[in-house]
Amino acid sequence: MQVHRALFCGVSLTAGSVREEEGKQSQRKQAALPKRRRVAFKAEEETSLCVLLHTFYPRAMSQSLLGRVSSVGWGCCSYSTLKSCLPILSWLPRYKLKWLQMDLLAGLTVGLTAVPQALAYAEVAGLPVQYGLYSAFMGGFIYALLGTSKDVTLGPTAIMSLLCFSVVGGHPHQAVLLSLLCGVIQAIMALLRLGFLLDFISFPVIKGFTCAAAVTISFGQVKNILGLQDIPHDFILEVYYTFYRIPEARIGDVVLGLLCLSLLVMLMLMKKSLGSDDIPYSTSSRFARKLVWTVATMRNALVVVAATLVAFSWNGYGHQVFTITGETSRGLPPFRPPPTTYITDNGTVVSFGEIVEGFGEDLVVIPFMGLLESIAIAKAFASQNDYRIDANQELLAIGVIVLLSLAFLMPAFYYIPKASLAAVVICAVAPMMDYQVVANMWRIRKLDLLPFFVTFLMSFWQVQYGIVGGIAVSGALLLYNTARPQIKVSDHGVLVMELGSGLSFPATEHLSHIMHTQALQASPPRSVILDCHHVSIIDYSVISEIRDLLRQFKLRKVRLYFARLQPAVLKVLLAADLQDLVYTHSVDAALQMESGTSSMTDANFVQSQNGEEMFDAEQKEFSNSADQ
């Protein structure tokens, strides 16, 4: 049961070939580095990555998925290319010693927050608590070399820990292998520039999943608050057996857990009540504010340490009042490749292929969700602090703190009460339950609640099914809007149909149906002016349908006019050599031509038989109209 750090180095070498920013952007960003202190203020609020899953440079991978791939050829050996691959070469020469004090303070504060959270999220992932520390320290050193966002910390998160548990079921060897495979998949996605696929995961799906994950994780910690053992991990069964076994709750765990929750909430509210730093304060008031801010920021570490001391005291007098963490491995695991097979308790050897087959579709879901989470966090900090990507110095201090914890504090972790770690997890995920977003979607667009609730409800069955189900519903809605574009119909003696969006092959049947019912099957049949100024591209299926419609209009002795065609669309229509194609540069010109008030030249229409030379003249008219 040991973590194999070789996988971190292997994926890091892959990431070294991915450039994070162009050289000019890197120079421009370094000209004005933001303040360091707010790193510590915000870092404990943001989430990072899953246990063992994204220990290797997640933000670097996230940005690379946006399409920033390193240059090839002779330029790959240049110093500018090397700096783009290793951002530390850009910010380190510009680093000022006066920043060191605040960076150390930021690293100390975030490190003291990261240690108890790493321990708690390891419990969520079903892994021994030392695995949370393994995943928390390694990423800091690698990201200091490869990372480009200065406001993030690396370590386990609630969501990714939950996904990790749903796949590996608490088996450390499988968790290590899963992290390696996910890293390889992310590296391949980066090289193939597949980051656009993340755009198909809509906001309602993300919020539905995060809300469901918050409920699942929070309730999963209730058993630790109550001191209950052997509760099933399936959510429905977990709810049932938790309530069923409430009479078995341990009084010590309940009291300690509720007390830790109360302290955490109180400190969090105290921090929020501090207000803005822009208001001038007296020296004593400033000192008091800084003291409150420091204590509130390190609340997780302070609460866990206090609870550990209480548990140690009771155990010293021979009273087993609390459920404690127990034995943990001390120090770092050996440096070796991850296992590709493992032996079950009954002696059965599970091969690499069987392990991968067991992962199933989760090998796709987990890398996507991890990258989506990483990108969202990095973008949020970059937008708030007015930069795009920057270097990260504080993570070195964080890594040192976690290393010291691994080396010297592991025996002390024996006495950490599980109720205190449960309180940390509950307080960390509670803000993810965003009830306001439901009201906003109801007010703005009620249809978005459908993928939200599909994702939310299905996630209680299996979190992976919730994500896939929500994406499927969002995709269906997107395809429906593509296949059924809005068509505004107005009567000017002749029907004018304005396409509200583009025209692609799924929409041809819908357009044909409206033209048949409202124009061709009317008595008498009516001409139609099709306003196409929203149409930017058409394909062969659309051309085939247009050819059939032109034939139907000609048989009924009426006309189909195309108005306000974009040059690229007009070029495709002319290349198709459509018989009886008539187009104008405006709807008014088509109305005049239909009413017979102007000659064919004044109406400014052309038939496709007139040849390609008319296309150039019409294109110039479109350009002149656009300029006006």
Side-chain angles (χ1 to χ4, degrees), residues 4-169:
H4 310 280
R5 288 170 290 158
L7 65 92
F8 299 129
C9 300
V11 184
S12 300
L13 291 175
T14 304
S17 64
V18 183
R19 69 187 305 171
E20 297 301 326
E21 286 292 335
E22 297 294 336
K24 292 183 179 180
Q25 291 177 336
S26 178
Q27 295 293 334
R28 185 169 62 253
K29 289 180 294 184
Q30 295 301 326
L33 290 175
K35 294 181 180 180
R36 297 307 194 267
R37 181 174 181 179
R38 57 188 172 193
V39 176
F41 181 78
K42 289 291 184 181
E44 101 267 40
E45 301 296 339
E46 55 91 16
T47 53
S48 208
L49 306 167
C50 73
V51 173
L52 295 173
L53 181 61
H54 288 136
T55 303
F56 25 82
Y57 60 87
R59 303 305 190 290
M61 291 301 303
S62 302
Q63 294 301 325
S64 65
L65 277 176
L66 299 178
R68 299 182 178 88
V69 182
S70 60
S71 59
V72 295
W74 297 106
C76 67
C77 299
S78 65
Y79 181 68
S80 61
T81 303
L82 183 62
K83 287 199 300 182
S84 66
C85 296
L86 296 174
I88 190 173
L89 298 178
S90 297
W91 62 259
L92 188 58
R94 300 170 178 267
Y95 192 81
K96 299 179 181 179
L97 290 178
K98 65 180 181 180
W99 296 338
L100 183 60
Q101 179 181 359
M102 298 311 299
D103 283 340
L104 290 176
L105 176 61
L108 175 64
T109 306
V110 179
L112 292 177
T113 302
V115 169
Q117 281 192 339
L119 299 174
Y121 290 146
E123 289 279 345
V124 175
L127 299 172
V129 293
Q130 65 265 22
Y131 281 76
L133 296 177
Y134 296 156
S135 66
F137 92 90
M138 193 64 188
F141 292 104
I142 294 178
Y143 192 71
L145 301 175
L146 300 174
T148 53
S149 177
K150 72 175 191 62
D151 292 306
V152 295
T153 60
L154 305 187
T157 64
I159 290 178
M160 300 311 297
S161 297
L162 178 64
L163 285 173
C164 185
F165 174 78
S166 67
V167 178
V168 303

Side-chain angles (χ1 to χ4, degrees), residues 519-590:
L520 295 176
Q521 295 177 4
S523 184
R526 308 183 65 181
S527 296
V528 172
I529 300 173
L530 190 62
D531 188 351
C532 300
H533 71 284
H534 288 305
V535 180
S536 59
I537 187 172
I538 57 176
D539 53 34
Y540 187 82
S541 299
V542 177
I543 293 294
S544 300
E545 190 65 33
I546 290 175
R547 180 179 282 110
D548 182 67
L549 286 172
L550 289 171
R551 184 177 62 83
Q552 295 292 334
F553 274 87
K554 183 177 181 180
L555 289 176
R556 290 165 174 78
K557 297 182 170 44
V558 289
R559 282 188 178 274
L560 172 60
Y561 303 91
F562 292 84
R564 298 203 286 178
L565 287 167
Q566 295 188 20
V569 176
L570 176 59
K571 185 175 181 179
V572 174
L573 291 175
L574 292 175
D577 194 23
L578 298 173
Q579 297 295 322
D580 302 306
L581 172 66
V582 181
Y583 65 90
T584 68
H585 66 82
S586 67
V587 174
D588 291 338

Side-chain angles (χ1 to χ4, degrees), residues 366-594:
I366 291 180
F368 267 92
M369 290 306 300
L371 290 170
L372 190 66
E373 185 181 18
S374 302
I375 291 174
I377 295 167
K379 284 185 176 180
F381 277 111
S383 175
Q384 178 178 342
N385 295 335
D386 194 24
Y387 73 95
R388 288 186 58 83
I389 300 295
D390 210 323
N392 193 325
Q393 298 88 37
E394 296 81 7
L395 288 177
L396 288 172
I398 299 171
V400 171
I401 291 173
V402 179
L403 273 177
L404 293 176
S405 300
L406 284 166
F408 302 109
L409 300 182
M410 293 304 284
F413 293 160
Y414 178 93
Y415 295 101
I416 295 180
K418 289 190 175 182
S420 64
L421 295 179
V424 170
V425 172
I426 292 174
C427 288
V429 302
M432 291 163 47
M433 291 182 281
D434 190 357
Y435 306 106
Q436 187 62 37
V437 71
V438 177
N440 292 338
M441 283 190 284
W442 176 266
R443 186 180 68 256
I444 297 172
R445 188 170 183 263
K446 297 179 178 62
L447 194 59
D448 285 334
L449 288 173
L450 181 59
F452 173 85
F453 280 113
V454 168
T455 306
F456 180 78
L457 295 176
M458 290 187 66
S459 294
F460 292 120
W461 176 23
Q462 285 285 340
V463 289
Q464 307 93 305
Y465 297 159
I467 298 170
V468 174
I471 294 175
V473 173
S474 293
L477 294 177
L478 179 64
L479 293 175
Y480 181 82
N481 293 330
T482 303
R484 295 294 183 269
Q486 292 185 351
I487 300 177
K488 180 181 179 182
V489 181
S490 56
D491 194 342
H492 298 271
V494 59
L495 292 179
V496 177
M497 297 185 181
E498 180 183 356
L499 292 169
S501 59
L503 182 62
S504 55
F505 70 89
T508 55
E509 185 63 29
H510 178 59
L511 176 63
S512 178
H513 174 74
I514 291 180
M515 286 191 173
H516 275 83
T517 55
Q518 299 197 26
L520 295 176
Q521 295 177 4
S523 184
R526 308 183 65 181
S527 296
V528 172
I529 300 173
L530 190 62
D531 188 351
C532 300
H533 71 284
H534 288 305
V535 180
S536 59
I537 187 172
I538 57 176
D539 53 34
Y540 187 82
S541 299
V542 177
I543 293 294
S544 300
E545 190 65 33
I546 290 175
R547 180 179 282 110
D548 182 67
L549 286 172
L550 289 171
R551 184 177 62 83
Q552 295 292 334
F553 274 87
K554 183 177 181 180
L555 289 176
R556 290 165 174 78
K557 297 182 170 44
V558 289
R559 282 188 178 274
L560 172 60
Y561 303 91
F562 292 84
R564 298 203 286 178
L565 287 167
Q566 295 188 20
V569 176
L570 176 59
K571 185 175 181 179
V572 174
L573 291 175
L574 292 175
D577 194 23
L578 298 173
Q579 297 295 322
D580 302 306
L581 172 66
V582 181
Y583 65 90
T584 68
H585 66 82
S586 67
V587 174
D588 291 338
L591 290 172
Q592 291 176 9
M593 182 173 56
E594 177 64 19

